[in-house]
Amino acid sequence: METIQKIKGTHDILPDTSGDWRLLEKTIHRIMQRYGFQEIRTPIFEATNLFARGIGQLTDIVSKEMYTFEDRGKKSLTLKPEGTAPVIRAFIENSLGEKRPINKLYYISPMFRQENPQAGRFRQFHQFGAELIGSPEPFADVETILNVLDIYKSLGLSSFTIKLNSVGDENCREQYKNALRDYLRPRLSKLCKTCQERFESNPMRVFDCKEAGCIAETEAAPRMLDHLDQASADHFEKVCALLDQHQVAYELDYRLVRGLDYYTRTAYEVVSNALGSQNALGGGGRYDLLTQELGGKPTPAVGYAAGIERLLMVLREEKLLTDNSLSLDVFIASIGEKAQEWASKTARLLRDNEISADMDLLGRSLKAQMKEANRSNAKFALIVGEQELESGQLTLRNLQQSEQTEVNSADLVGAIRKHLDAKFK
RNA sequence: GUGGGCGUAGCUCAGCUUGGUAGAGCACCAGAUUGUGGCUCUGGUGGUCGCGGGUUCAAAUCCCGUCGCUCACCCCA
């Protein structure tokens, strides 16, 4: 029989690593709460238009990476490739902006992009992200940066760099693009093919290119930072000043142009020093025009998205993940059918009392059951056979210290709890 | 979409150059220990060598095709 394999670029998270995910998610929830961000969960798929309009028709994501399909009613749906557009859609649809002037929302969610997988890049991957909706102030930009850094810090991570740039806004970007085009036009033939295509549609993306020729040609090109209008310049200056006050180290990177069209003013990226080719841990920025682009009232907003798989890769690399596997309190090893029945009843009793318990389900030898107890990472083995059933005196073995004592079956829960508290708390 | 590397036991891999009965470590099972795990020792289970075709007396090994995985490019998380 032919076996069925997982879809390319997807992964099973097995019990030996799901504990790492739990730790990460727990940390994210904790820090988000500490910052006043509230969780939002949006559907896994959306109307295709949401992304086409929100992210931008010409972006790589929309033009070649989306999982788009028709449902039975011929409606075009898309598995979400990123989190911001759905959050803003929900923000508008549920009139969250009418209920309070500021909404601080966060999510943890799978995302889908149909790219060729490689180290740190998958077709289904997971992001956590925060969106601060309603404030145009630099304080808001900084709030999101501090938030993501705090999550990394809480996990012990320190090997990363923050890159910062401003991509301007509607009042100065078009003017700048024209200045950039004027500079690039005579050098067009020296640029790579994709950059020649970018020249008309989105010349700023030329800075993103890694071709040596394109890098060289844009070295002396006019930079957005020098062409900001007063308001955007002030905004950027304030963001930098606040980061300085918070003693957050960052690098100005005039080449940082993020791949999504909706960014305005602040753009930032957190880059790992410990990853391979795909080294962006997270990125974000301000997107003051997105809400109206999606049909809502003009509402300023800023936020970021960060990759969970890449974060796990770095944490693994830096040896910052300790053993997060769950352990069992008690494994009941029984000898004989009567004892096995007793084990079943007792396991239930213990579980009713918040003590995790497991038992043999294969009728194995005591030795094999002890081995199983060890494999389950159990703290105690409770051994019961004919003798114990008659006397009511059971053997409780501490598997980590290899010591055992007798406990009375009359107050089993109390006795086990006492031993758990004494040795494991 | 394009290029490189790799597909042999549940896992990590050796064997391929120079064709000749398919191996190791770990894991799993059992025994040493007749009712006690982890350590040690002994034994055991487990493989149409990714799949299809070709060359050959003979193919894991050589040739062709194909599928899968992986890394990289593009771009991003």
Coordinates of all heavy atoms in Angstrom, one line a residue, chain A residues 164-202:
Chain A
L164 N 16.3 49.6 11.1 CA 15.3 50.6 11.2 C 15.4 51.5 9.9 O 16.5 51.9 9.5 CB 15.5 51.4 12.5 CG 14.4 52.4 12.8 CD1 13.1 51.7 13.2 CD2 14.8 53.3 14.0
N165 N 14.2 51.9 9.4 CA 14.2 52.8 8.3 C 12.8 53.5 8.3 O 11.9 53.1 9.0 CB 14.4 52.1 7.0 CG 14.7 53.0 5.8 OD1 15.1 54.1 6.0 ND2 14.5 52.5 4.6
S166 N 12.7 54.6 7.5 CA 11.4 55.2 7.2 C 11.2 55.1 5.8 O 12.1 55.4 5.0 CB 11.4 56.6 7.7 OG 10.1 57.2 7.3
V167 N 10.0 54.7 5.4 CA 9.7 54.6 3.9 C 8.8 55.7 3.5 O 8.2 55.7 2.4 CB 9.1 53.2 3.6 CG1 10.1 52.1 3.8 CG2 7.8 53.0 4.4
G168 N 8.6 56.7 4.4 CA 7.9 57.9 4.0 C 6.4 57.7 4.0 O 5.9 56.6 4.4
D169 N 5.6 58.6 3.6 CA 4.2 58.4 3.5 C 3.7 59.1 2.2 O 4.4 59.4 1.3 CB 3.4 59.0 4.7 CG 3.6 60.5 4.8 OD1 4.1 61.2 3.8 OD2 3.3 61.1 5.9
E170 N 2.3 59.2 2.1 CA 1.7 59.6 0.8 C 2.1 61.0 0.4 O 2.0 61.4 -0.8 CB 0.2 59.5 0.8 CG -0.5 60.5 1.7 CD -0.6 60.1 3.2 OE1 0.3 59.4 3.6 OE2 -1.6 60.6 3.8
N171 N 2.6 61.8 1.4 CA 2.9 63.2 1.1 C 4.3 63.4 0.5 O 4.6 64.4 -0.1 CB 2.8 64.0 2.3 CG 1.4 64.1 2.9 OD1 0.5 64.2 2.1 ND2 1.3 63.8 4.2
C172 N 5.2 62.4 0.7 CA 6.6 62.5 0.1 C 7.1 61.3 -0.7 O 8.1 61.4 -1.3 CB 7.5 62.8 1.3 SG 7.5 61.6 2.6
R173 N 6.4 60.2 -0.6 CA 6.9 59.0 -1.2 C 6.9 59.1 -2.8 O 7.9 58.7 -3.4 CB 6.2 57.8 -0.8 CG 6.9 56.5 -1.3 CD 6.7 55.4 -0.3 NE 5.3 55.1 0.0 CZ 4.9 54.3 0.9 NH1 5.8 53.6 1.7 NH2 3.7 54.1 1.2
E174 N 5.8 59.6 -3.4 CA 5.8 59.7 -4.8 C 6.9 60.6 -5.4 O 7.5 60.3 -6.4 CB 4.4 60.1 -5.3 CG 3.3 59.0 -5.3 CD 3.8 57.7 -5.9 OE1 4.4 57.8 -7.1 OE2 3.7 56.7 -5.3
Q175 N 7.0 61.7 -4.7 CA 8.0 62.7 -5.1 C 9.4 62.0 -5.0 O 10.2 62.2 -5.9 CB 8.0 63.8 -4.1 CG 8.3 65.2 -4.7 CD 8.2 66.3 -3.7 OE1 7.4 66.1 -2.7 NE2 9.0 67.3 -3.8
Y176 N 9.6 61.3 -4.0 CA 10.9 60.6 -3.8 C 11.1 59.5 -4.9 O 12.2 59.4 -5.5 CB 11.0 60.0 -2.4 CG 12.2 58.9 -2.4 CD1 13.5 59.4 -2.4 CD2 11.9 57.6 -2.3 CE1 14.5 58.5 -2.3 CE2 12.9 56.7 -2.3 CZ 14.3 57.1 -2.3 OH 15.3 56.2 -2.3
K177 N 10.1 58.8 -5.2 CA 10.2 57.7 -6.2 C 10.6 58.3 -7.5 O 11.4 57.7 -8.3 CB 8.8 57.0 -6.3 CG 8.6 55.9 -5.3 CD 7.3 55.2 -5.6 CE 6.9 54.2 -4.5 NZ 5.6 53.6 -4.7
N178 N 10.1 59.5 -7.8 CA 10.4 60.1 -9.1 C 11.9 60.5 -9.0 O 12.6 60.4 -10.0 CB 9.5 61.4 -9.3 CG 8.2 60.9 -9.8 OD1 8.0 59.9 -10.4 ND2 7.1 61.7 -9.5
A179 N 12.4 61.0 -7.9 CA 13.8 61.4 -7.8 C 14.6 60.1 -8.0 O 15.7 60.2 -8.6 CB 14.0 62.0 -6.4
L180 N 14.2 59.0 -7.4 CA 14.9 57.8 -7.5 C 14.9 57.3 -9.0 O 15.9 56.9 -9.5 CB 14.3 56.7 -6.6 CG 15.0 55.4 -6.5 CD1 16.4 55.6 -6.1 CD2 14.2 54.5 -5.5
R181 N 13.8 57.4 -9.6 CA 13.7 57.0 -11.0 C 14.6 57.8 -11.9 O 15.3 57.3 -12.8 CB 12.3 57.1 -11.6 CG 11.3 56.0 -11.1 CD 10.1 56.0 -11.9 NE 9.0 55.1 -11.3 CZ 8.1 55.5 -10.5 NH1 7.9 56.8 -10.3 NH2 7.2 54.7 -10.0
D182 N 14.7 59.1 -11.6 CA 15.5 60.0 -12.4 C 17.0 59.6 -12.2 O 17.8 59.6 -13.2 CB 15.4 61.5 -11.9 CG 14.1 62.1 -12.3 OD1 13.5 61.5 -13.2 OD2 13.7 63.1 -11.7
Y183 N 17.3 59.1 -11.0 CA 18.7 58.7 -10.8 C 19.0 57.3 -11.5 O 20.0 57.1 -12.1 CB 19.0 58.5 -9.3 CG 20.3 57.9 -9.0 CD1 21.5 58.6 -8.9 CD2 20.4 56.5 -8.8 CE1 22.7 58.0 -8.6 CE2 21.6 55.9 -8.5 CZ 22.7 56.7 -8.4 OH 23.9 56.1 -8.1
L184 N 18.0 56.4 -11.4 CA 18.2 55.1 -12.0 C 18.1 55.0 -13.5 O 18.7 54.2 -14.1 CB 17.1 54.1 -11.4 CG 17.3 53.8 -9.9 CD1 16.1 53.0 -9.4 CD2 18.6 53.1 -9.6
R185 N 17.3 55.9 -14.1 CA 17.0 55.8 -15.5 C 18.3 55.7 -16.4 O 18.3 54.7 -17.1 CB 16.2 57.1 -15.9 CG 15.5 56.9 -17.3 CD 14.5 57.9 -17.6 NE 13.3 57.7 -16.8 CZ 12.8 58.6 -15.9 NH1 13.5 59.7 -15.6 NH2 11.7 58.3 -15.2
P186 N 19.3 56.5 -16.2 CA 20.5 56.3 -17.0 C 21.3 55.0 -16.7 O 22.1 54.6 -17.4 CB 21.3 57.6 -16.7 CG 20.8 58.1 -15.5 CD 19.3 57.7 -15.4
R187 N 21.0 54.4 -15.5 CA 21.7 53.2 -15.2 C 20.9 52.0 -15.3 O 21.3 50.9 -14.9 CB 22.1 53.3 -13.7 CG 23.0 54.5 -13.4 CD 22.9 54.9 -11.9 NE 22.8 56.4 -11.8 CZ 23.9 57.1 -11.6 NH1 25.0 56.6 -11.4 NH2 23.7 58.4 -11.5
L188 N 19.7 52.1 -15.9 CA 18.8 51.0 -16.0 C 19.4 49.7 -16.6 O 19.2 48.6 -16.1 CB 17.6 51.4 -16.9 CG 16.2 50.9 -16.5 CD1 16.0 50.9 -15.0 CD2 15.1 51.6 -17.3
S189 N 20.2 49.9 -17.6 CA 20.8 48.7 -18.3 C 21.7 48.0 -17.4 O 22.0 46.8 -17.6 CB 21.6 49.2 -19.5 OG 22.6 50.1 -19.1
K190 N 22.2 48.6 -16.3 CA 23.2 47.9 -15.4 C 22.5 47.1 -14.3 O 23.1 46.4 -13.6 CB 24.1 48.9 -14.8 CG 25.1 49.5 -15.8 CD 26.0 50.5 -15.1 CE 27.0 51.1 -16.1 NZ 27.6 52.3 -15.6
L191 N 21.1 47.3 -14.2 CA 20.4 46.6 -13.2 C 19.9 45.3 -13.7 O 19.9 45.0 -14.9 CB 19.2 47.5 -12.8 CG 19.4 48.8 -12.2 CD1 18.1 49.5 -11.9 CD2 20.3 48.8 -11.0
C192 N 19.7 44.4 -12.7 CA 19.2 43.0 -13.1 C 17.8 43.1 -13.7 O 17.1 44.1 -13.5 CB 19.2 42.1 -11.9 SG 17.9 42.4 -10.7
K193 N 17.3 42.0 -14.2 CA 16.1 42.0 -14.9 C 14.9 42.4 -14.0 O 14.1 43.2 -14.3 CB 15.8 40.6 -15.5 CG 15.4 40.7 -16.9 CD 15.2 39.3 -17.5 CE 14.8 39.3 -18.9 NZ 15.0 38.1 -19.6
T194 N 14.9 41.8 -12.8 CA 13.7 42.0 -11.9 C 13.7 43.5 -11.5 O 12.7 44.1 -11.4 CB 13.8 41.2 -10.6 OG1 15.1 40.9 -10.3 CG2 13.0 39.9 -10.8
C195 N 14.9 44.1 -11.3 CA 15.0 45.5 -10.9 C 14.5 46.4 -12.0 O 14.0 47.4 -11.8 CB 16.4 45.8 -10.4 SG 16.7 45.2 -8.8
Q196 N 14.8 46.0 -13.2 CA 14.3 46.8 -14.4 C 12.8 46.8 -14.4 O 12.2 47.8 -14.7 CB 14.9 46.2 -15.7 CG 16.4 46.4 -15.8 CD 16.9 45.9 -17.1 OE1 16.2 45.6 -18.0 NE2 18.2 45.8 -17.2
E197 N 12.2 45.6 -14.0 CA 10.8 45.6 -13.9 C 10.3 46.5 -12.7 O 9.2 47.1 -12.8 CB 10.3 44.2 -13.7 CG 10.3 43.4 -15.0 CD 10.2 41.9 -14.8 OE1 9.7 41.5 -13.7 OE2 10.6 41.1 -15.7
R198 N 11.0 46.5 -11.6 CA 10.6 47.2 -10.5 C 10.7 48.7 -10.7 O 10.0 49.5 -10.0 CB 11.6 46.9 -9.3 CG 11.4 45.6 -8.7 CD 12.5 45.2 -7.8 NE 12.3 44.0 -7.1 CZ 13.3 43.2 -6.6 NH1 14.5 43.5 -6.8 NH2 13.0 42.1 -6.0
F199 N 11.5 49.1 -11.7 CA 11.7 50.5 -11.9 C 10.4 51.3 -12.0 O 10.3 52.4 -11.4 CB 12.6 50.7 -13.2 CG 12.8 52.1 -13.6 CD1 13.7 52.9 -13.0 CD2 12.0 52.7 -14.6 CE1 13.9 54.2 -13.3 CE2 12.2 54.0 -15.0 CZ 13.1 54.8 -14.3
E200 N 9.5 50.8 -12.8 CA 8.2 51.5 -13.0 C 7.3 51.3 -11.8 O 6.8 52.2 -11.2 CB 7.5 51.0 -14.2 CG 7.8 51.9 -15.5 CD 7.7 53.4 -15.2 OE1 6.8 53.9 -14.5 OE2 8.6 54.2 -15.7
S201 N 7.1 50.0 -11.4 CA 6.1 49.7 -10.4 C 6.5 50.1 -9.0 O 5.6 50.7 -8.3 CB 5.8 48.2 -10.5 OG 7.0 47.5 -10.2
N202 N 7.6 49.8 -8.6 CA 8.0 50.1 -7.2 C 9.5 50.2 -7.1 O 10.2 49.3 -6.7 CB 7.5 49.1 -6.3 CG 7.6 49.5 -4.8 OD1 8.2 50.5 -4.5 ND2 7.1 48.7 -3.9

